Amino acid sequence: MTAPTVQWTGQADPAEVTGHAVSRGAGRGGGWWALLPTVVALGLGWWRLDARDLWNDELVTWHVTTLSVEQFRMLVGNIDLVHAGYYLIMSALTTVTGDSTTALRLPSVLAVGLTAGLVTLIGRRLFDTPVGVLAGLVLALLPTVSRYAQEARSYALVTLAAVAATWLFLRAVDRPTRGRWWAYGVLLVLVGWLHFVALLVVLAHLFHLWRSVRGEEPRWRWAASTGIAGLFVLPVLILGSRQSGQISWVENDGDAVLRFLANLTGTTATLALVAALAVLAVAVAGPRWRATVLMLLVWAVLPPVAGYLTAGTLHLFLARYFLFTVPAWALLAAFAVCRTARLATRERLPAAWLAGALVLLPVLAWQTLPAQERVRSNEADGQPRYLDAVRYLGTQVKQGDGVAYNDGFGGSSDVARKATDYGLRDRAHPRDVFVAVPARQTGWLTARECPEPLPCLGDTRRIWLVETGHLDDPLAGLPPAREALLRQRFLIRHVERFDRVRVVLLERKPA
């Protein structure tokens, strides 16, 4: 028994038949073209993968993978529940691959490579093979994609899950089977568990059903799949929303909007280019492609708009949370270039799209090259190069030494503390002299420090002070009681300077 014929209605497609919507470029053969964008994305992701040190959020990922089951349960009960699914995946992987910088980032590299391949397949299914291949290559060249391919955080995996769910959705609509709809629902659960914001991709799926699919069966199957998936995601959504205070610093003012636009694709100029091509896609779509282009616009635009409008309560207006919309921009840009090339030649040249690709890809690569270099620098959020300082510390520390931290603002840097834990994970670790309860035992990402410094100090003879060098005096900016104690009982013996951080050796004064 053959599967029902599937058909796109759009506005007025002359190929209408009963049933659903047919995918124009999804015929047999040609899917191997997805390997080209996959290889390019993997190559760019692997290029200088460990050139940039782990920054704060990545150090948090490593820290969580070292927790016991009970410690992990305590943590996600207080904070970061939205990332719990990713942390579980990374905890499992690091037991096999280890916890080097490369190993921690490798899942993101692989996720971006697979995403580029799936974007190619989606482009083939919605349009044709040239659009799919060009979209996959555009995605691979975007600096923000390289950035999150080289970051041990969930965003690359979230994007992969959202794109895979979209691909399965289109296949399920194309040739409905129970297995495809079940697979689609399972992937939606994975999307929600990795980061529930990415579930906004279902708005594009709903729009596609409304505008391009005939018949009630696909709609009720979609409703059943999303409804069942929602039952599994709802607890995470409810509990995670109670922790939104941890990102209450996120704003949606003018500066935040500009940062969002620049960070979404990597540079403002890159976003301007792909946005202009998206507008062109609408202009050249015609009745045949209009519904498909509008579906991609829903995918690209509505989730960030929702993040902006709800920023006052949910605090989600950060570009990295919406990385899953970037594939839609790539698809729109690729369609605009290919369609315009064909219209310019009145569709007399079968490979007319190639001329447009040969213009777009070099321009995009040249324009984004400086941003690609920055991605591989140590400038993530202006974080000091703590790991350079920690490597030096590891060569100098002796048994019985202590370590302390000074961020210059009256507190101790938990970023520096995690960097020290990571950098010295396989070496002798100096005692953290002013910590009463380590972070792994507090149920939070921060340690609980001693209310009174003297009892915690004990008889420690040497202290290595890791401080960010905001002031000339390395002891300035410490909590007053701690600063007074160190000035009274210790002498500064040596100062080693690194990029925005210093390591200061303090030795106890003679009796």
Side-chain angles (χ1 to χ4, degrees):
M1 184 174 181
T2 59
T5 303
V6 181
Q7 169 217 346
W8 292 80
T9 62
Q11 288 285 334
D13 197 322
E16 286 190 1
V17 291
T18 59
H20 313 295
V22 81
S23 303
R24 301 179 178 88
R28 291 184 178 180
W32 60 270
W33 275 105
L35 292 175
L36 177 60
T38 297
V39 170
V40 172
L42 288 173
L44 287 173
W46 191 263
W47 175 40
R48 295 173 59 194
L49 179 60
D50 59 354
R52 176 171 54 88
D53 282 343
L54 298 176
W55 74 292
N56 182 29
D57 284 9
E58 293 181 285
L59 290 169
V60 168
T61 295
W62 169 79
H63 168 79
V64 175
T65 64
T66 67
L67 300 180
S68 68
V69 173
E70 179 59 24
Q71 290 168 348
F72 179 79
R73 186 197 62 78
M74 289 172 55
L75 177 72
V76 298
N78 294 323
I79 194 173
D80 260 7
L81 179 64
V82 68
H83 298 298
Y86 173 71
Y87 290 149
L88 289 173
I89 291 173
M90 290 301 294
S91 295
L93 290 177
T94 53
T95 61
V96 178
T97 62
D99 58 1
S100 67
T101 299
T102 299
L104 289 170
R105 290 174 175 166
L106 184 59
S108 294
V109 176
L110 297 176
V112 163
L114 291 173
T115 299
L118 284 174
V119 165
T120 302
L121 296 179
I122 290 174
R124 288 188 69 244
R125 187 164 290 274
L126 293 177
F127 303 107
D128 54 28
T129 297
V131 173
V133 173
L134 184 55
L137 292 173
V138 168
L139 182 75
L141 291 175
L142 294 177
T144 191
V145 174
S146 292
R147 158 76 189 272
Y148 293 107
Q150 299 195 336
E151 184 158 307
R153 295 298 284 172
S154 65
Y155 310 112
L157 271 71
V158 171
T159 302
L160 172 61
V163 169
T166 301
W167 179 65
L168 276 175
F169 165 77
L170 294 173
R171 284 172 57 85
V173 167
D174 205 16
R175 284 186 172 85
T177 66
R178 182 178 299 177
R180 289 182 175 183
W181 283 112
W182 271 107
Y184 170 67
V186 169
L187 264 178
L188 287 183
V189 173
L190 180 61
V191 171
W193 284 354
L194 285 172
H195 204 296
F196 58 76
V197 176
L199 285 174
L200 290 172
V201 74
V202 301
L203 296 175
H205 304 170
L206 179 60
F207 182 88
H208 177 74
L209 286 170
W210 171 51
R211 288 296 303 270
S212 301
V213 179
R214 298 178 63 185
E216 294 301 319
E217 182 181 355
R219 292 169 182 165
W220 72 256
R221 285 182 178 270
W222 175 84
S225 297
T226 54
I228 294 172
L231 294 177
F232 288 92
V233 176
L234 188 60
V236 177
L237 179 62
I238 294 174
L239 296 174
S241 65
R242 297 175 183 175
Q243 298 177 358
S244 62
Q246 74 180 90
I247 51 173
S248 58
W249 51 270
V250 177
E251 299 177 346
N252 63 345
D253 56 15
D255 290 340
V257 171
L258 292 177
R259 285 194 301 272
F260 184 98
L261 295 176
N263 292 335
L264 188 62
T265 57
T267 68
T268 305
T270 305
L271 182 62
L273 174 62
V274 297
L277 289 173
V279 173
L280 179 61
V282 176
V284 301
R288 183 182 182 189
W289 308 105
R290 186 169 297 134
T292 305
V293 168
L294 289 177
M295 182 269 282
L296 293 175
L297 279 175
V298 169
W299 180 0
V301 175
L302 280 192
V305 170
Y308 173 82
L309 295 176
T310 60
T313 53
L314 298 180
H315 314 294
L316 295 170
F317 192 60
L318 288 175
R320 58 179 177 262
Y321 294 162
F322 296 92
L323 184 67
F324 70 93
T325 66
V326 174
W329 290 107
L331 286 162
L332 287 166
F335 170 74
V337 169
C338 293
R339 181 65 177 160
T340 301
R342 286 166 178 154
L343 289 176
T345 60
R346 298 182 180 179
E347 304 205 24
R348 292 175 181 173
L349 295 178
W353 66 273
L354 188 58
L358 291 176
V359 172
L360 174 63
L361 294 177
V363 168
L364 186 62
W366 173 79
Q367 195 276 326
T368 59
L369 183 59
Q372 293 282 5
E373 289 287 345
R374 286 195 299 274
V375 163
R376 292 156 179 85
S377 72
N378 285 279
E379 299 177 357
D381 285 6
Q383 177 177 301
R385 298 192 67 169
Y386 285 117
L387 288 177
D388 283 350
V390 171
R391 293 182 189 108
Y392 165 78
L393 179 61
T395 65
Q396 302 296 315
V397 68
K398 298 179 181 179
Q399 186 174 2
D401 286 357
V403 65
Y405 303 93
N406 181 14
D407 65 359
F409 298 104
S412 61
S413 173
D414 280 288
V415 181
R417 183 169 280 122
K418 289 182 179 64
T420 303
D421 289 342
Y422 178 75
L424 301 182
R425 64 196 184 282
D426 298 322
R427 297 189 177 202
H429 197 301
R431 183 175 70 90
D432 204 336
V433 292
F434 295 120
V435 162
V437 182
R440 66 180 61 253
Q441 298 176 15
T442 64
W444 300 86
L445 294 172
T446 56
R448 187 180 307 146
E449 299 190 345
C450 301
E452 296 294 333
L454 182 58
C456 286
L457 179 62
D459 60 355
T460 305
R461 306 297 302 174
R462 299 200 319 170
I463 297 175
W464 295 93
L465 181 67
V466 180
E467 59 94 28
T468 51
H470 294 293
L471 302 171
D472 292 335
D473 183 352
L475 298 180
L478 282 166
R482 196 174 305 172
E483 179 182 350
L485 177 64
L486 292 179
R487 290 190 187 281
Q488 178 186 6
R489 304 200 177 200
F490 286 81
L491 294 172
I492 296 176
R493 291 300 190 190
H494 182 71
V495 178
E496 195 74 21
R497 290 174 171 83
F498 301 90
D499 183 9
R500 289 166 288 175
V501 63
R502 294 179 291 193
V503 178
V504 181
L505 174 59
L506 304 175
E507 287 189 353
R508 190 180 287 268
K509 294 178 180 179

